[in-house]
Amino acid sequence: MTATKGLEGIVATTSSISSIIDGVLTYRGYNIDDLAEYATFEEVVYLLWFGNLPNQDELSELRERIDEFAAIPSAVIEQMKLYPSNANTMAVLRSAISALALYDGTANDMSREANVDKAIKLQAQLPTIIAAFARIREGKEPISPKAGYSIANNFLYMLSGEEPENNAVVAMDKALVLHADHELNASTFAARVTVATLSDIYSGVVSAVGALKGPLHGGANEAVMRMLEEIGSLNRVDDYIQQKLDNKEKIMGFGHRVYKNGDPRAKHLQKMSRELGNMKGNLELYEMSTRIEELVTGQKGLKPNVDFYSASVYTMLGIPRDLFTPIFAISRVSGWTAHILEQYENNRIIRPRAEYTGPSSQLFIPIQER
Ligand SMILES: CC(C)(COP(=O)(O)OP(=O)(O)OC[C@H]1O[C@@H](n2cnc3c(N)ncnc32)[C@H](O)[C@@H]1OP(=O)(O)O)[C@@H](O)C(=O)NCCC(=O)NCCS
């Protein structure tokens, strides 16, 4: 038995949800470029869960169900008020989702119908949790979700309490479409491993949130913004990046396990970053980012991934840095739950082997003689 470090190149399951073939990403066979251009996030959620794009009635019904479930139990809000105000936002999300399960009488109902309902609940409630905590930690009361709003619109509204501008809603919606699913990424795999024991959907999503939190996965978007803040201005980019490259340090937001010729999502986020910069009359973050890309791609051949331009996009939307990874989760919960439903449909426990590298033939010595 020989281990493959990081399971690189290992095909661990079949799936009909999303594919990455020759650098092209599709959800259920639809190119991400078309979905980013023409579909709303809710249409994509429907597509991921049910396998086809919705007609108008199907979409309206899904949106009504999301509205129905978007409020979170007051007990969960009260618990969040007891969390430390400086708590890591992904840890807050992980804890609050775990708490949600305690108040859902159907949490352990394993029927397909109950699990689809729980997927809708999770999709509806994650934005509410994050927006609520963002306000609670500032000593403000959470704002209830409004019926009739898209997920992107509601999230921005619940964060600030003000009606967001249309261009902000469009940008947020597109960011959600781009992050919704990504084949067998680390957090999705974590979700599938958990539910393959026939554990419940909440446990699967909690596992996924824990995996997404790390800086090599979803946490990279925050790390990119920390880097941009540390650099501070366009004229300092070259020295900063050169030093990192010379020291063989990682530049966050670059590289990918699967894409070697570039992440197809990055160009959409780059365009959004430029457009938002133009709208704001301040292109510095965009220009710093493109200069970093020139240097890193020029010298290392590494291309930006989905997290690189997300950082400047979210910042220009006025979102605090530590909500970037939770926003990734707001979107990816659609993919996680689609994969969980698929895993339940054709389940076998996921239990690989390890190549043993420890000592062998040890002689047991009783504790008194050690
Ligand atoms: C995404 C990532 C985890 C993939 O990891 P992986 O498939 O195990 O790739 P490796 O770490 O083996 O990288 C291969 C080579 O490229 C280098 N490399 C990869 N990403 C790099 C980066 N962001 N900056 C500098 N060098 C990088 C590695 O050091 C390694 O070089 P070596 O062969 O000289 O040792 C990795 O590219 C990374 O850490 N990127 C930064 C974090 C990030 O943006 N994550 C979000 C992913 S969407």
Side-chain angles (χ1 to χ4, degrees):
M1 290 196 300
T2 312
T4 303
K5 199 169 181 193
L7 299 183
E8 180 167 6
I10 303 289
V11 178
T13 188
T14 58
S15 175
S16 62
I17 301 171
S18 61
S19 66
I20 305 169
I21 298 170
D22 298 333
V24 176
L25 171 62
T26 68
Y27 299 164
R28 301 278 189 190
Y30 292 94
N31 193 311
I32 186 71
D33 292 341
D34 292 333
L35 295 170
E37 208 60 50
Y38 306 115
T40 62
F41 180 56
E42 283 78 359
E43 284 175 272
V44 165
V45 171
Y46 188 100
L47 174 68
L48 293 174
W49 286 343
F50 304 117
N52 56 284
L53 284 168
N55 62 28
Q56 193 56 59
D57 287 347
E58 289 164 333
L59 182 62
S60 303
E61 194 189 326
L62 176 65
R63 291 188 59 157
E64 278 165 27
R65 308 272 348 254
I66 289 172
D67 283 347
E68 182 190 332
F69 289 134
I72 53 179
S74 54
V76 175
I77 301 255
E78 292 311 309
Q79 282 177 38
M80 282 200 284
K81 289 182 180 167
L82 300 175
Y83 294 168
S85 58
N86 64 353
N88 178 287
T89 49
M90 285 298 279
V92 164
L93 184 63
R94 197 185 55 212
S95 308
I97 294 171
S98 227
L100 276 183
L102 307 177
Y103 299 95
D104 184 345
T106 69
N108 297 309
D109 182 341
M110 294 301 278
S111 65
R112 159 102 189 161
E113 198 190 358
N115 279 327
V116 169
D117 270 7
K118 284 178 273 180
I120 302 173
K121 283 180 197 169
L122 282 156
Q123 181 62 70
Q125 292 176 336
L126 258 63
T128 315
I129 292 173
I130 294 156
F133 184 71
R135 292 182 68 82
I136 289 169
R137 70 180 175 179
E138 289 176 358
K140 300 177 187 157
E141 268 306 305
I143 290 173
S144 303
K146 246 191 205 177
Y149 280 5
S150 67
I151 290 171
N153 194 344
N154 230 345
F155 175 65
L156 293 172
Y157 163 72
M158 288 187 288
L159 263 187
S160 68
E162 285 160 21
E163 299 299 333
E165 284 176 21
N166 188 49
N167 61 44
V169 174
V170 170
M172 177 57 67
D173 194 74
K174 196 173 284 207
L176 296 180
V177 168
L178 290 167
H179 287 81
D181 196 44
H182 206 216
E183 202 221 48
L184 209 53
N185 60 92
S187 55
T188 300
F189 188 51
R192 288 189 81 128
V193 169
T194 296
V195 302
T197 66
L198 294 185
S199 186
D200 65 289
I201 192 166
Y202 286 100
S203 299
V205 170
V206 168
S207 296
V209 170
L212 186 71
K213 177 173 177 283
L216 297 188
H217 191 7
N221 54 15
E222 292 178 26
V224 171
M225 196 58 225
R226 256 194 305 278
M227 172 174 76
L228 288 169
E229 285 166 10
E230 232 173 86
I231 299 174
S233 61
L234 182 57
N235 62 7
R236 296 189 38 184
V237 167
D238 285 43
D239 285 351
Y240 180 98
I241 294 295
Q242 199 53 55
Q243 201 182 350
K244 285 228 173 228
L245 291 174
D246 292 346
N247 292 342
K248 305 222 173 306
E249 285 177 53
K250 273 199 171 169
I251 316 285
M252 301 315 268
F254 284 86
H256 201 273
R257 171 61 65 77
V258 182
Y259 301 117
K260 298 303 172 198
N261 289 316
D263 180 332
R265 303 164 298 177
K267 61 181 180 296
H268 294 282
L269 288 150
Q270 179 179 16
K271 186 165 165 249
M272 286 157 69
S273 173
R274 188 180 60 235
E275 285 168 0
L276 286 167
N278 273 326
M279 259 179 248
K280 295 204 156 300
N282 183 351
L283 279 166
E284 185 149 36
L285 278 180
Y286 171 74
E287 284 169 352
M288 285 168 73
S289 304
T290 51
R291 181 63 190 149
I292 295 171
E293 180 181 343
E294 268 170 33
L295 293 168
V296 176
T297 307
Q299 293 189 37
K300 297 271 301 185
L302 289 165
K303 307 265 173 65
N305 57 48
V306 71
D307 293 307
F308 186 62
Y309 285 99
S310 311
S312 48
V313 165
Y314 296 146
T315 298
M316 286 192 265
L317 289 176
I319 292 168
R321 187 183 70 206
D322 69 354
L323 298 190
F324 295 1
T325 314
I327 289 173
F328 195 150
I330 291 179
S331 167
R332 185 58 60 86
V333 71
S334 59
W336 292 332
T337 47
H339 279 266
I340 290 171
L341 293 170
E342 184 177 65
Q343 183 67 39
Y344 286 145
E345 291 290 308
N346 185 16
N347 189 58
R348 191 165 186 221
I349 193 166
I350 299 170
R351 200 296 187 196
R353 298 296 310 275
E355 178 188 349
Y356 180 67
T357 57
S360 59
S361 307
Q362 294 266 63
L363 188 67
F364 182 81
I365 301 167
I367 194 157
Q368 306 85 330
E369 294 168 32
R370 268 178 243 153

